[in-house]
Amino acid sequence: MIPIADSLLAWYADNGRHELPWRQTQDSYALWLAEIMLQQTQVESVKPYYTRFLQALPSWEALARAPQDQVLALWSGLGYYARARNAQRAAQKVCADFAGQFPDTREAAETLPGVGRSTAAAVLASAYDQQEAILDANARRVLIRSQAIRSDPKSTRTLQQLWELAEALTPTAAHTYNQAIQDLGAMICTPRHPRCDACPLQRSCMAYAEGLSEQLPLSLRKRDTRERCVFFLQIEDGDGRVFLEKRPDSGIWGGLWCLPQFHPQGLSGQPVPCTAQQNTLADGVVLREQVRHFCAMQYGLVVEVQGLMAMQKHVFTHFQLHFRCIHIGLQEDLQAIKVADRVLSGRWFGPEAALAKGLPTPIRKILSRSS
């Protein structure tokens, strides 16, 4: 085991990102919120969301009591929306079970929805000065390279080894050390093309000594490159209002408002597989008739297809979404609106009201272009 704390702390004192907003406080709520937002998201993307969220919902109590629509609207565009739903449930549990304070033990903290071992440790170290080790993606990468760990970084055995290392290497001043190892991973020991010449651990780094800095961590699992295809239906009434559906709480866009989705059917009556995007998302007489039939059967709406946007792509962690938006107008406004208003999952919104809702990024882009 190669000790790294002293070199890391000396480097961090002069080079760390001390100005980050969540590093200006020891408030457990603000620290926890930052940790949740930073899960799988870059710092620069998080900054504006973090500031707006804290301004709107500045405490455990405020988040616990907020309407879910407000929480998701504040999170809209940040992605991984299960984090937002879990964040509100965690706030409710903190208020109900822990007297409005973040739990002061890791075991208790890990009972909160969305809080794992590393997140709990980070908050406990920063808010309560506890000697708790973290193992986020940045810290994991620094440990793997500095100790030249050649095994699968996602295997149970390797993760256990990394936790043992993290605990052994973390000094009493865990708060500062945790920030230092995160910053080194983000700024120097990057996933690709690490800046070894600027690294304070270069002299002791085993991966550097063995010429393995570019090869570690090992990547033994192929990235899932599944593709999905879908049409979004932008149905507008005579007043320019758009019809949105609130999605179920589960799923990748759980709880968000979304344009209705339509999957074209082949001759067999089954959805067309997303194997050739241009053909799957192509316009045509058959498609338009299927859309009219879908709107009539699903919503009781008599509609006219007015046009299609160009095909677009949105990349998720585990798949790529290819989509086109179909612009649709109502032919029988009054009857249609009465029917649609009875659809429990959907409502009509004016352009500004729609954009104020919690929307998936592709839907926000579609509606922004139309407003």
Side-chain angles (χ1 to χ4, degrees), residues 86-281:
N86 282 335
Q88 185 165 42
R89 287 194 281 266
Q92 291 165 348
K93 185 174 178 64
V94 166
C95 291
D97 298 346
F98 299 105
Q101 296 294 325
F102 191 84
D104 60 3
T105 67
R106 182 157 51 83
E107 293 74 18
E110 288 184 56
T111 67
L112 300 178
V115 175
R117 180 174 177 178
S118 190
T119 298
V123 178
L124 292 171
S126 295
Y128 302 144
D129 294 319
Q130 295 185 16
Q131 187 177 2
E132 289 282 355
I134 65 166
L135 196 62
D136 70 346
N138 287 318
R140 186 164 59 243
R141 189 165 55 254
V142 171
L143 293 180
I144 287 172
R145 285 180 176 151
S146 65
Q147 313 297 321
I149 296 174
R150 296 176 175 81
S151 53
D152 180 357
K154 295 183 179 180
S155 72
T156 301
R157 183 175 180 179
T158 303
L159 286 173
Q160 181 179 353
Q161 179 186 4
L162 287 170
W163 272 116
E164 291 172 356
L165 276 170
E167 291 181 334
L169 292 169
T170 300
T172 303
H175 162 66
T176 306
Y177 171 84
N178 289 344
Q179 293 181 347
I181 198 169
Q182 287 176 325
D183 281 6
L184 189 78
M187 300 164 63
I188 304 295
C189 195
T190 51
R192 296 181 181 179
H193 311 304
R195 298 170 53 205
C196 295
D197 290 345
C199 182
L201 305 182
Q202 185 197 85
R203 292 184 179 180
S204 60
C205 179
M206 295 175 65
Y208 180 78
E210 299 174 27
L212 296 174
S213 298
E214 294 276 1
Q215 287 73 44
L216 297 179
L218 292 181
S219 179
L220 302 178
R221 304 182 185 187
K222 293 184 178 180
R223 185 184 180 92
D224 191 340
T225 56
R226 290 177 299 166
E227 296 178 320
R228 301 179 187 175
C229 291
V230 68
F231 288 99
F232 291 116
L233 307 183
Q234 187 171 347
I235 308 171
E236 294 186 1
D237 67 11
D239 296 323
R241 297 187 303 169
V242 65
F243 184 66
L244 298 177
E245 291 183 304
K246 189 173 177 64
R247 296 180 62 82
D249 277 348
S250 60
I252 198 164
W253 287 340
L256 298 180
W257 290 90
C258 190
L259 294 172
Q261 295 184 27
F262 171 73
H263 300 273
Q265 295 181 345
L267 296 176
S268 65
Q270 298 298 315
V272 177
C274 188
T275 52
Q277 290 80 36
Q278 295 290 350
N279 293 332
T280 303
L281 297 179

Side-chain angles (χ1 to χ4, degrees), residues 12 15-26 30-31 34-35 38 41-48 50-51 54 138 175 178-180 182-184 186-187:
Y12 178 74
N15 301 282
R17 297 176 293 181
H18 305 284
E19 78 289 349
L20 293 177
W22 45 87
R23 293 186 177 171
Q24 314 306 312
T25 180
Q26 279 193 291
L31 291 165
E35 291 296 329
L38 287 165
T41 307
Q42 297 293 320
V43 165
E44 291 304 315
S45 299
V46 166
K47 282 182 181 178
Y50 176 78
T51 300
L54 270 184
N138 287 318
H175 162 66
N178 289 344
Q179 293 181 347
Q182 287 176 325
D183 281 6
L184 189 78
M187 300 164 63

